[in-house]
Amino acid sequence: MSGKKKNLSDFDQGSDIDASDVRVGVVVAEWNHDITSALLHGAVDTMKSFGVIDENIHVHYVPGSFELPMGAKLITASLQVDVVICLGCVIQGETRHFEFISNAVANGITQVGLDTNIPVVFGVLTTDNYQQAKDRAGGKHGNKGDEAGATAVKMAELKRKLHSKSK
Ligand code: DLZ
């Protein structure tokens, strides 16, 4: 997935995975809505290409990226999901908000996953400007939402595989 690949959407499709019964929670930040809705489209389309069905994709919104970890935690507490995707876009401004929000979101998302044993995917763009975000939300550098969707399916699959071995 990483290494020499330049485009965010250049991932191994994992075509042998059947994700038709995978249940996914998606938390989307409303801040920079045009970017985050493009990420959402990418994530949903990609999950569907792995067989995830509409009824098993539960989308909820939070005001900004800072609220993504709490949104993810609320989802894990109230819905039966195998995996959660967080989608947001933090753009560098003139103040230090960018650093505080980016760090808090990355740490918070990690923590929710470790605390709940439910994988939480980091689908958050952190960019210098709006154009960089556009380029990564369905533009010339692909769509980070696609990557998040594929990661979610693969983490759900991994969890299921290891869980079945532990029985
Ligand atoms: C306040 C703020 C700023 C300045 N920038 C962004 C941003 O680029 N992306 C984003 O998702 N959210 C931003 N926010 C909102 C915060 O994430 C949060 O919603 C508010 O600080 C309220 O807690």
Side-chain angles (χ1 to χ4, degrees):
M1 177 145 342
S2 58
K4 293 201 178 73
K5 288 178 180 166
K6 289 196 182 116
N7 195 310
L8 290 174
S9 307
D10 282 345
F11 47 79
D12 169 17
Q13 284 289 337
S15 52
D16 53 332
I17 296 176
D18 171 15
S20 53
D21 59 352
V22 168
R23 294 173 53 91
V24 188
V26 189
V27 201
V28 187
E30 288 168 346
W31 199 281
N32 296 318
H33 177 72
D34 53 336
I35 301 289
T36 60
S37 63
L39 298 177
L40 176 62
H41 277 116
V44 169
D45 284 352
T46 300
M47 288 192 288
K48 285 186 177 175
S49 76
F50 283 97
V52 181
I53 60 172
D54 277 323
E55 294 74 40
N56 286 344
I57 302 174
H58 304 275
V59 180
H60 293 275
Y61 290 86
V62 292
S65 293
F66 187 79
E67 285 73 38
L68 287 170
M70 181 53 83
K73 187 151 193 184
L74 292 171
I75 285 185
T76 63
S78 54
L79 299 175
Q80 292 279 338
V81 292
D82 301 297
V83 61
V84 177
I85 299 175
C86 292
L87 299 174
C89 172
V90 190
I91 299 177
Q92 177 81 274
E94 290 176 1
T95 69
R96 294 185 60 208
H97 244 92
F98 177 82
E99 292 154 44
F100 290 125
I101 294 174
S102 304
N103 289 333
V105 175
N107 293 333
I109 286 175
T110 306
Q111 199 59 51
V112 174
L114 297 175
D115 287 349
T116 61
N117 267 348
I118 295 175
V120 184
V121 179
F122 184 76
V124 181
L125 291 170
T126 55
T127 63
D128 290 339
N129 54 52
Y130 181 78
Q131 187 58 48
Q132 284 182 353
K134 286 283 280 182
D135 291 344
R136 290 158 178 80
K140 68 179 179 190
H141 292 307
N143 190 331
K144 192 172 177 69
D146 294 0
E147 191 187 56
T151 303
V153 167
K154 291 177 182 183
M155 290 305 290
E157 173 78 0
L158 175 68
K159 192 177 173 207
R160 183 171 305 181
K161 207 163 38 181
L162 294 176
H163 186 65
S164 69
K165 283 197 171 136
S166 71
K167 281 182 181 167

